[in-house]
Amino acid sequence: MRRKAVIPPGQELISREQLRVRVEELARQITLDYRDKRLVMIGVLKGAFIFTADLCRALDLECEIDFIRVRSYGTARQSAGTIQFTKGPELDLNGKDVLLVEDIVDTGITMAWMRDYFRSGPAATVRICALIDKTERRQVPVEVDYAGFQLDQGFLVGYGLDCAERYRHLPAIHSLEEKEAEGLTPNSTT
Ligand code: IMP
Ligand code: MG
């Protein structure tokens, strides 16, 4: 049976190889910083599912893994500010060192909300790791402790990132054409 070809959208911005190299660099730093800590990586679904899987496998460290999912109302391209969990953390975080693993910090609204939630809980420390730190539209100050790539603009898909649920499976990161991103239906989850 003939399979339908996947035609990657837009321009390839970050290749599979660049992602692999950068994830290993981040993992080396995290391994050093958390050597004497009790690391719990909390991946933010769905966008960070591939990043979290690759990052945890590159660590030379024992760690626990959990996932959360939040709903942030907005459009396919931008979050709005009303945030709630659709899946909360399941592990006991008491005294643990939480590392939030997110795909993109854009306006910062989603990450600031998650950071404040975990900082007001029983975890000993809470830090942030984001594959992409997008500074152009930042509205709320968020300090990203481990940033994979800093980008100013553009809407990105692939390696877990979607536009209205499309393109998450692509192994590289692509920038989506403006007209294609605008034409897609609204998205309410990250
Ligand atoms: P923020 O609250 O504006 O920082 O929204 C961050 C969330 O918006 C991320 O977790 C992504 O799900 C989504 N997002 C922001 N920019 C992009 C992008 O370029 N591609 C895909 N998703 C994005
Ligand atoms: Mg998304």
Side-chain angles (χ1 to χ4, degrees):
M1 197 176 79
R2 208 169 333 130
R3 298 182 63 192
K4 215 167 105 187
V6 175
I7 301 165
Q11 192 197 340
E12 183 177 295
L13 269 194
I14 309 174
S15 70
R16 209 172 178 159
E17 180 61 10
Q18 285 173 305
L19 286 163
R20 189 188 64 75
V21 168
R22 189 66 187 124
V23 167
E24 281 180 6
E25 285 170 358
L26 290 173
R28 263 197 296 279
Q29 189 60 51
I30 293 166
T31 298
L32 286 176
D33 295 352
Y34 285 83
R35 203 160 276 296
D36 303 314
K37 295 186 182 283
R38 300 166 72 194
L39 175 61
V40 181
M41 285 177 57
I42 301 187
V44 185
L45 295 172
K46 299 181 196 175
F49 81 107
I50 295 177
F51 181 41
T52 307
D54 284 350
L55 190 63
C56 73
R57 282 180 294 179
L59 293 176
D60 186 13
L61 197 65
E62 218 188 287
C63 72
E64 292 177 89
I65 317 268
D66 206 346
F67 287 96
I68 56 172
R69 187 153 193 225
V70 297
R71 178 183 294 270
S72 83
Y73 295 92
T75 66
R77 298 184 44 137
Q78 187 162 16
S79 75
T82 313
I83 297 163
Q84 64 189 54
F85 279 120
T86 55
K87 183 208 167 305
E90 291 170 37
L91 293 176
D92 174 11
L93 302 178
N94 198 8
K96 309 267 180 75
D97 296 289
V98 165
L99 183 62
L100 291 168
V101 182
E102 174 62 305
D103 56 356
I104 295 189
V105 178
D106 183 15
T107 64
I109 294 169
T110 313
M111 183 49 84
W113 185 89
M114 295 188 291
R115 175 200 62 197
D116 294 348
Y117 172 86
F118 286 102
R119 289 214 171 134
S120 66
T125 64
V126 178
R127 285 193 191 164
I128 295 167
C129 175
L131 179 64
I132 290 159
D133 188 6
K134 238 182 172 184
T135 48
E136 176 200 33
R137 297 194 299 185
R138 192 64 50 84
Q139 288 174 26
V140 183
V142 171
E143 200 191 317
V144 177
D145 301 284
Y146 305 94
F149 300 89
Q150 299 230 305
L151 293 174
D152 292 335
Q153 55 186 1
F155 193 83
L156 313 173
V157 295
Y159 196 71
L161 309 172
D162 75 310
C163 186
E165 297 303 328
R166 295 184 70 191
Y167 309 124
R168 287 195 200 275
H169 62 292
L170 297 175
I173 291 186
H174 300 253
S175 72
L176 206 59
E177 298 294 330
E178 197 75 6
K179 56 180 183 331
E180 186 167 4
E182 293 298 349
L184 289 164
T185 50
N187 181 19
S188 62
T189 51
T190 64

